[in-house]
């Protein structure tokens, strides 16, 4: 209760000081009370609606939602508590990172979903140079880039650059990267490779190590669409027709072209297949299912992989994906094989690993190369759209499907929030094969270990390329000359990073949800 003395007290003091009559009555202080005021509750306003979208989407869909304290359903006692929490983050990215589980290595956030959707279609900005970053023979913190291949119709394809070429610097500055015991980069200047235009400084591999050779080539990035089918051909070795397919991304837009490539292999009468996924970081799960069905064909309708979502969505989306026999009604050109030779390395991940793991219960899968990346989760694309409703064979979903944009009917952002274009690509589930196995976060171990090496890369798809030679040896017993070369340990390529990993969202695996 507030009491107001001040004005009346001042009046009394003035009266007393102005009067000389000691008999004047003393003016007593009088307390005048205001009507009691009611406490008005404080209402916290949300400062950034994007943060609300991020928390709500992650709370609903995230694979580890029940393990992240900040995503708990009872985390906040009131809307004020919730808004106060969200307002504590200066950027959407900082909130997103706070909500991630320590187990998460691959979830992503983007401020423009068009970039994300383009990447899933094989559309991205690149100069066309595909490379791996590794240590030079002399070791230390220095980094050299080794050209893997050049994308057709790119800027690099117009320059004199070939597989195996080595660069050591960008714009005259030598590359370096410091790493921890697990190989994670802790400090580097690899961001020199980020700008749209830069000049690479090349070197030769000599007995003394990597020596600059004076060749400098400027490269310019532009938006192009990469066909993931780099090479498809038939090799005949000792009377055996071997199909060779180098497939660099599971891009569903190219599934029909993939089916055509298998038609050509089938018409050629191949009896063996070498599937080269060494630089394939993944992509569409649907494409992985279709590819595996093209390799086989005799398992139509049988279990390919079983989905495991979080507890909120398992009953809705926990389907069993099966081998298929068509693409939207067009028959698959399946080879009916009982074995397949798959080249995979530490730059093979996600859908690539899914193919290896899900084929293993059915046919003989011979893994040649190196330990894979170890990504056994899949993700979905989430945009700020609370109006979408999924329709299933059994009827409508139990509730609106918030924030989701996927395959089938989920292909539009028409009703999404017009105030921003943020999108999330969080991990939401895992797949297990028909044997119930799906835990390979440490990567899939090769049956025959062989790393690529400086000075002995060979040409992709040609005999004389060591990993292909090893596959051919296991098929025919013929040992290629490249396998007779003794490679010193300091010439073996151990990936620090790569053009693959530097591309936006190349490491996410987009799930095509079933209706």
């Amino acid at each position: 209760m507030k009491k107001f003395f001040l004005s009346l007290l001042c009046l009394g003091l003035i009266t007393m000081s102005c009067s000389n009559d000691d008999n004047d009555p003393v003016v007593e202080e009088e307390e005048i009370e205001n009507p009691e005021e009611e406490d008005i509750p404080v209402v916290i306003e949300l400062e950034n609606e994007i943060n609300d979208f991020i928390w709500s989407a992650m709370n609903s869909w995230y694979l580890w939602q029940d393990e992240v304290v900040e995503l708990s359903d009872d985390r906040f006692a009131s809307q004020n508590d919730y808004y106060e929490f969200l307002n504590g983050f200066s950027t959407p990215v900082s909130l997103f990172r706070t909500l991630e589980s320590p187990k998460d290595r691959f979830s992503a956030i983007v401020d423009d979903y068009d970039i994300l959707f383009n990447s899933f279609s094989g559309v991205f900005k690149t100069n066309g140079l595909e490379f791996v970053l590794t240590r030079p023979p002399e070791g230390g913190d220095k980094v050299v880039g080794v050209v893997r291949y050049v994308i057709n119709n790119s800027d690099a394809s117009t320059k004199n650059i070939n597989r195996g070429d080595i660069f050591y610097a960008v714009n005259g500055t030598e590359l370096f990267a410091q790493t921890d015991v697990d190989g994670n980069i802790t400090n580097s200047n690899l961001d020199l490779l980020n700008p749209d235009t830069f000049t690479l400084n090349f070197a030769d591999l000599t007995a003394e190590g990597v020596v600059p050779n004076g060749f400098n080539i400027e490269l310019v990035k532009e938006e192009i669409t990469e066909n993931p089918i780099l090479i498809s051909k038939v090799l005949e070795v000792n009377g055996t027709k071997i199909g060779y397919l180098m497939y660099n991304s599971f891009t569903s837009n190219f599934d029909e072209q993939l089916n055509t490539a298998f038609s050509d292999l089938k018409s050629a009468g191949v009896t063996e297949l070498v599937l080269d996924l060494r630089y394939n970081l993944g992509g569409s799960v649907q494409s992985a299912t279709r590819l595996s069905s093209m390799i086989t064909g005799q398992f139509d309708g049988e279990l390919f992989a079983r989905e495991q979502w979080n507890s909120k969505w398992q009953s809705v989306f926990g389907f069993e994906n099966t081998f298929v026999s068509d693409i939207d009604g067009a028959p698959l050109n399946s080879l009916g094989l009982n074995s397949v030779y798959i080249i995979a390395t530490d730059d093979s991940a996600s859908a690539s690993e899914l193919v290896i793991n899900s084929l293993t219960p059915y046919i003989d899968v011979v893994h040649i190369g190196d330990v894979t990346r170890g990504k056994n989760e899949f993700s979905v694309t989430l945009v700020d759209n609370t109006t979408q409703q999924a329709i299933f064979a059994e009827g409508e979903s139990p509730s609106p499907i918030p924030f989701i944009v996927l395959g089938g009917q989920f292909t539009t952002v028409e009703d999404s929030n017009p105030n921003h274009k943020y999108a999330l690509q969080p991990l939401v589930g895992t797949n297990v094969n028909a044997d119930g196995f799906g835990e390979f976060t440490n990567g899939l171990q090769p049956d025959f270990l062989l790393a690529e090496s400086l000075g002995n890369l060979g040409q992709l798809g040609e005999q004389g390329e060591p990993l292909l030679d090893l596959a051919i040896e296991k098929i025919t017993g013929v040992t290629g000359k490249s396998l007779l070369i003794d490679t010193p340990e300091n010439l073996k390529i151990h990936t620090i990073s790569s053009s693959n990993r530097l591309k936006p969202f190349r490491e996410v695996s987009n799930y095509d949800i079933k209706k």
Side-chain angles (χ1 to χ4, degrees):
M1 181 178 295
K2 296 180 180 178
K3 299 181 179 180
F4 292 82
F5 300 110
L6 185 58
S7 60
L8 198 58
L9 180 61
C10 289
L11 177 62
L13 290 173
I14 292 171
T15 304
M16 291 173 63
S17 62
C18 294
S19 173
N20 293 319
D21 190 349
D22 292 336
N23 296 321
D24 287 345
V26 176
V27 179
E28 298 283 340
E29 293 181 8
E30 181 178 355
E31 295 183 5
I32 301 176
E33 298 181 356
N34 262 3
E36 185 174 344
E37 297 180 355
E38 295 183 3
D39 290 334
I40 301 175
V42 176
V43 177
I44 296 177
E45 299 291 336
L46 179 64
E47 296 173 0
N48 188 342
E49 63 182 328
I50 301 171
N51 285 355
D52 180 39
F53 153 61
I54 291 171
W55 190 92
S56 300
M58 293 287 279
N59 167 264
S60 177
W61 291 97
Y62 195 43
L63 175 60
W64 297 288
Q65 181 267 334
D66 61 347
E67 299 179 15
V68 178
V69 174
E70 301 293 12
L71 286 174
S72 173
D73 291 337
D74 58 2
R75 167 64 177 82
F76 306 105
S78 66
Q79 180 170 286
N80 272 359
D81 289 343
Y82 176 53
Y83 283 176
E84 185 176 17
F85 171 78
L86 296 184
N87 291 345
F89 296 90
S90 59
T91 66
V93 173
S94 62
L95 170 61
F96 183 73
R97 296 306 175 200
T98 297
L99 300 179
E100 286 183 304
S101 163
K103 299 176 182 178
D104 192 346
R105 297 171 293 159
F106 300 105
S107 290
I109 182 173
V110 58
D111 60 6
D112 185 347
Y113 46 63
D114 287 335
I115 299 173
L116 190 62
F117 299 148
N118 283 342
S119 70
F120 295 151
S121 301
V123 179
F124 54 93
K125 210 169 189 181
T126 178
N127 53 40
L129 191 70
E130 295 297 304
F131 56 84
V132 61
L133 298 172
T134 188
R135 298 293 183 201
E138 56 268 30
D141 288 337
K142 290 184 178 181
V143 171
V144 294
V146 185
V147 177
R148 288 171 161 175
Y149 68 94
V150 174
I151 299 174
N152 294 327
N153 303 314
S154 66
D155 182 59
S157 68
T158 67
K159 311 292 171 67
N160 185 24
I161 304 177
N162 301 292
R163 176 172 167 81
D165 288 348
I166 298 172
F167 60 88
Y168 71 99
V170 177
N171 301 326
T173 301
E174 293 190 23
L175 295 171
F176 80 91
Q178 297 169 342
T179 55
D180 60 21
V181 293
D182 296 319
N184 300 310
I185 297 173
T186 57
N187 183 34
S188 80
N189 64 352
L190 300 184
D191 56 356
L192 290 171
L193 294 161
N194 291 342
D196 287 349
T197 302
F198 54 74
T199 297
L200 291 182
N201 312 114
F202 287 82
D204 292 327
L205 179 64
T206 70
E208 288 74 35
V210 173
V211 179
N213 58 21
F215 286 101
N216 308 301
I217 298 178
E218 183 182 75
L219 293 171
V220 180
K221 294 180 182 178
E222 55 190 354
E223 191 173 90
I224 67 171
T225 301
E226 181 183 3
N227 186 336
I229 308 165
L230 184 67
I231 304 170
S232 181
K233 64 188 299 185
V234 178
L235 302 168
E236 189 163 348
V237 183
N238 273 13
T240 302
K241 288 187 175 182
I242 304 171
Y244 174 83
L245 178 71
M246 184 161 200
Y247 186 57
N248 290 331
S249 176
F250 289 82
T251 308
S252 58
N253 289 23
F254 287 87
D255 284 355
E256 292 182 2
Q257 289 91 323
L258 184 63
N259 198 31
T260 299
F262 269 82
S263 175
D264 295 338
L265 295 176
K266 188 174 182 178
S267 298
V270 302
T271 56
E272 304 285 353
L273 177 67
V274 178
L275 176 62
D276 197 337
L277 303 175
R278 73 181 77 187
Y279 308 140
N280 191 324
L281 283 176
S284 168
V285 173
Q286 182 181 65
S287 296
T289 306
R290 289 171 172 173
L291 172 61
S292 300
S293 300
M294 294 175 200
I295 293 169
T296 55
Q298 64 270 42
F299 306 113
D300 182 33
E302 295 191 43
L303 178 64
F304 177 71
R306 182 177 293 109
E307 304 164 15
Q308 296 181 326
W309 298 68
N310 70 21
S311 59
K312 295 184 178 182
W313 294 106
Q314 179 62 28
S315 62
V316 179
F317 294 128
F319 291 99
E320 293 187 347
N321 291 295
T322 60
F323 288 90
V324 296
S325 59
D326 67 276
I327 298 177
D328 299 328
L332 292 185
N333 298 300
S334 300
L335 300 181
L337 298 177
N338 293 310
S339 63
V340 64
Y341 297 79
I342 298 181
I343 297 173
T345 66
D346 58 1
D347 242 12
S348 306
S350 194
S352 291
E353 294 168 303
L354 177 63
V355 168
I356 295 172
N357 190 51
S358 295
L359 282 176
T360 295
Y362 295 96
I363 65 175
D364 186 16
V365 178
V366 182
H367 173 182
I368 292 167
D370 210 338
V371 181
T372 60
R373 190 95 161 103
K375 183 175 183 292
N376 62 334
E377 308 97 349
F378 59 82
S379 61
V380 295
T381 307
L382 305 176
V383 299
D384 194 354
N385 183 349
T386 60
T387 65
Q388 295 190 97
Q389 184 87 9
I391 307 298
F392 300 92
E394 301 81 7
E396 292 186 353
S397 64
S399 62
I401 307 298
F403 317 119
I404 196 167
V405 173
L406 294 172
Q409 70 201 56
F410 303 115
T411 57
T412 179
V413 292
E414 181 180 351
D415 297 320
S416 62
N417 189 332
N419 298 327
H420 71 88
K421 297 182 72 174
Y422 269 85
L424 308 182
Q425 194 71 31
L427 298 177
V428 297
T430 60
N431 279 302
V432 297
N433 66 15
D435 291 338
F437 177 71
E439 176 48 56
F440 47 85
T441 52
N442 293 323
L444 296 170
Q445 298 291 326
D447 297 293
F448 300 98
L449 178 65
L450 182 62
E452 291 188 318
S453 62
L454 295 170
N456 189 29
L457 279 179
Q459 295 303 312
L460 293 170
E462 302 288 340
Q463 288 181 262
E465 190 280 299
L467 293 175
L468 176 55
D469 275 357
L470 183 54
I472 291 174
E473 179 185 78
K474 300 308 172 186
I475 294 170
T476 67
V478 177
T479 301
K481 292 181 180 179
S482 68
L483 301 178
L484 301 176
I485 299 174
D486 186 21
T487 303
E489 186 63 33
N490 66 345
L491 292 182
K492 293 180 180 178
I493 294 175
H494 299 287
T495 304
I496 295 173
S497 187
S498 69
S499 53
N500 250 346
R501 301 182 191 182
L502 295 175
K503 291 176 186 174
F505 317 113
R506 190 61 178 264
E507 289 195 271
V508 304
S509 180
N510 199 35
Y511 199 83
D512 301 292
I513 203 166
K514 289 188 175 183
K515 293 187 291 181

